[in-house]
Amino acid sequence: MQEKIAQKGSFGDKLSRLLQDKGITQKDLAQAIGVTTAMVNRYIKRNVKPSLETIKKMSDYLTVPSDVLLDNTPIYLDDSDNDGGNDNSITWKMRALEAERKLSIIQEGFETLGATIADLAKIFSKT
């Protein structure tokens, strides 16, 4: 069975779902990220977007990649190995997804760098 952790939808919808799934109150989140409870409520109800710094604090506190809050892609996790609702398995999977994404970006960078070096080698070999 797969569990949809972050649904497609607005930033507020995703934040609300993550708080609910993790049993975190708006007040707890507000205290953790240094804003008022009213501001967290605005993020959820009025779809007010926080700064990137605040999003980073939220993702760290909620132990999810920032992408989960920012993009419009749902994250599905197989919860069959989630030992009785323990969030450790979900946290590990979220971190693994973030690491995979970063690795992909690094690999693309190396491919581009390799192509650039090859182009430079051609230029210098002609001279």
Side-chain angles (χ1 to χ4, degrees):
M1 183 176 142
Q2 289 189 328
E3 178 183 359
K4 191 185 278 190
I5 293 296
Q7 300 173 330
K8 283 188 175 183
S10 71
F11 177 87
D13 293 339
K14 289 185 193 183
L15 181 56
S16 177
R17 174 71 191 268
L18 283 166
L19 290 175
Q20 182 181 22
D21 287 351
K22 293 179 173 284
I24 297 171
T25 66
Q26 290 182 22
K27 182 178 179 180
D28 292 338
L29 179 63
Q31 289 174 343
I33 65 172
V35 300
T36 65
T37 304
M39 182 56 78
V40 171
N41 188 274
R42 281 187 221 123
Y43 296 149
I44 293 170
K45 302 280 188 205
R46 296 189 191 149
N47 206 25
V48 173
K49 293 259 176 122
S51 68
L52 290 176
E53 180 182 336
T54 301
I55 290 172
K56 173 72 174 121
K57 288 178 185 178
M58 283 181 186
S59 67
D60 288 346
Y61 183 73
L62 297 169
T63 64
V64 297
S66 300
D67 293 354
V68 171
L69 293 168
L70 292 173
D71 69 14
N72 201 27
T73 305
I75 300 283
Y76 292 94
L77 299 176
D78 180 356
D79 60 357
S80 60
D81 63 345
N82 188 357
D83 34 16
N86 184 342
D87 270 355
N88 291 335
S89 176
I90 291 173
T91 300
W92 179 86
K93 288 178 184 180
M94 290 293 207
R95 289 183 179 160
L97 288 171
E98 178 71 1
E100 251 180 59
R101 185 187 68 79
K102 287 179 180 178
L103 179 61
S104 174
I105 291 169
I106 292 169
Q107 287 172 333
E108 288 174 19
F110 276 120
E111 289 170 10
T112 302
L113 180 61
T116 302
I117 291 171
D119 290 343
L120 288 172
K122 288 178 189 175
I123 292 169
F124 285 112
S125 68
K126 292 180 183 178
T127 58

